[in-house]
Amino acid sequence: MAISTGSGGDDVPMSDINTTPLVDVMLVLLIIFLIAIPVVIQTIPLTLPKQAFEPTTTKPENVSLSVRAVDGQCEVYWGLAKVSSDDLLKRAVKRLEDEIARQGGPNAAGLELPEVHIRGDINTPYKCIGGTIITMQRAGFVKVGFISEPEAGTATERL
């Protein structure tokens, strides 16, 4: 402890703290953390897919659905006809069974199942689109895709 002589000649303890060693320690710790943080953070190398617009080839056996929300209620359209969730499941099961029967039954060689193409309004909550996906998967459809518009200014080449 440092002691100084006061104005009256008495020895009085100094109340000032020397902060230089504290600042030195903090700077050293800061440098250590700056060097150590990149080593601690682990990353997994990924190659993310690039977004590209590919024209959709629609086959007649594919199912086209449109989903939107009106006043908080989900609306699903099969083609142009509005369907309820139960009706959607029944129509999907019937459509899949008819297509499998048309191709020669469930054990037929080279069985090609139809796809589901969903058009979702940009303002539709995910619960509406997610519910439609789950319903179609419950019906037995394996391939479910989304139809979107290309970005403005992108050109597509037609074959």
Side-chain angles (χ1 to χ4, degrees), residues 56-137:
T56 306
T57 54
T58 303
K59 299 180 220 169
E61 62 268 9
N62 290 346
V63 176
S64 178
L65 301 175
S66 300
V67 182
R68 69 178 187 166
V70 177
D71 297 329
Q73 297 296 319
C74 301
E75 292 183 352
V76 179
Y77 293 85
W78 184 299
L80 296 175
K82 184 177 173 183
V83 292
S84 66
S85 182
D86 294 332
D87 192 30
L88 177 64
L89 181 61
K90 290 175 189 174
R91 286 179 97 171
V93 168
K94 174 119 175 67
R95 177 69 170 269
L96 196 58
E97 288 173 348
D98 291 347
E99 184 61 30
I100 290 172
R102 186 184 69 80
Q103 293 186 24
N107 297 327
L111 186 65
E112 291 187 26
L113 297 176
E115 301 174 5
V116 178
H117 295 164
I118 298 176
R119 288 179 168 83
D121 185 48
I122 195 166
N123 298 319
T124 303
Y126 182 73
K127 69 176 185 172
C128 297
I129 295 173
T132 305
I133 294 170
I134 290 172
T135 301
M136 297 309 284
Q137 287 177 339

Side-chain angles (χ1 to χ4, degrees), residues 29 31-44:
L29 286 174
I31 292 170
I32 289 172
F33 285 134
L34 287 175
I35 293 171
I37 290 294
V39 175
V40 174
I41 296 176
Q42 297 177 356
T43 60
I44 298 173

